Amino acid sequence: MNRKEKHLEEQLKKKFLKEAKYQKIYKHYLETNDSKLFEQLNGDYSDFVNYTILLSLIQTNIKYTSLHVRERLQKQYSEIVSEESLKYAVNQDQSTELGLPPKRWEFIMEDEALIEAVSSLTKREEQVIWLLFVEDKTNTDITTILGVSQQSISKTKRRAQKN
């Protein structure tokens, strides 16, 4: 066992012994040297290690699944908005008000149906969609920029998605 593995094992044992029920059994074992208590501790420790490994595997699975979903979404998004048109939109006149979409969505999107759908939105819905997907802002950022509540942003986003 190498140094790193020993360190991880020590951390796991400390975490195991932090739990009150295992501390109690361990203290009682130290006082009595009862082999049944030792066997119980070993069994409990084995279960604890297996549970910890299972949690780690679940966390890893969730992490990589979310990364995979994010990659798929980014790929789909990049197919909708070309890199050149996005650069054009970002490099537009800096004096325009932050959060306002360009006068023509055609500058950043190539899909005609999508352009038509976005153009049919209200001004506020366009602002929210622009900030979310073009400027990559969070809902919290948008509430600050537009001076509205988080709930208002969520409702506006839902309305825009229904259109």
Side-chain angles (χ1 to χ4, degrees):
M1 185 180 306
N2 65 33
R3 187 174 166 191
K4 185 177 179 180
E5 289 172 340
K6 285 181 184 178
H7 178 69
L8 289 174
E9 186 175 332
E10 287 301 315
Q11 285 181 323
L12 198 55
K13 286 178 184 176
K14 285 179 184 177
K15 189 173 180 181
F16 173 74
L17 290 174
K18 279 186 179 180
E19 294 193 28
K21 67 179 183 179
Y22 301 131
Q23 281 180 2
K24 185 177 178 181
I25 295 170
Y26 182 66
K27 286 178 183 177
H28 193 255
Y29 165 73
L30 290 177
E31 293 169 356
T32 63
N33 252 354
D34 186 352
S35 63
K36 289 181 183 179
L37 289 175
F38 183 74
E39 288 174 22
Q40 181 182 351
L41 273 173
N42 275 335
D44 289 343
Y45 180 70
S46 178
D47 291 345
F48 178 80
V49 169
N50 289 333
Y51 179 75
T52 303
I53 290 170
L54 178 62
L55 283 179
S56 176
L57 290 172
I58 291 170
Q59 287 173 335
T60 302
N61 190 351
I62 290 170
K63 175 184 173 183
Y64 287 108
T65 300
S66 70
L67 287 173
H68 178 70
V69 167
R70 185 179 297 150
E71 286 174 3
R72 272 196 347 235
L73 289 173
Q74 285 176 342
K75 182 179 178 187
Q76 288 173 346
Y77 182 69
S78 68
E79 290 172 0
I80 294 171
V81 179
S82 73
E83 190 173 326
E84 280 183 26
S85 59
L86 188 58
K87 283 181 184 175
Y88 173 81
V90 171
N91 292 329
Q92 278 185 350
D93 182 13
Q94 296 299 321
S95 65
T96 59
E97 183 181 340
L98 182 62
L100 290 178
K103 300 223 185 292
R104 295 174 42 194
W105 283 93
E106 300 91 307
F107 290 126
I108 62 163
M109 292 186 277
E110 297 171 355
D111 185 331
E112 289 296 323
L114 188 57
I115 293 168
E116 186 177 324
V118 173
S119 298
S120 70
L121 300 174
T122 66
K123 185 176 180 179
R124 179 52 56 104
E125 290 169 343
E126 277 188 89
Q127 287 176 315
V128 170
I129 297 301
W130 176 265
L131 290 167
L132 280 170
F133 298 107
V134 178
E135 294 188 22
D136 200 27
K137 301 288 185 190
T138 65
N139 282 4
T140 306
D141 295 335
I142 297 171
T143 60
T144 303
I145 293 167
L146 299 179
V148 294
S149 69
Q150 179 82 26
Q151 186 179 15
S152 174
I153 296 299
S154 296
K155 285 180 181 178
T156 302
K157 189 168 47 171
R158 277 195 301 273
R159 277 194 317 268
Q161 289 171 339
K162 286 181 183 178
N163 292 339

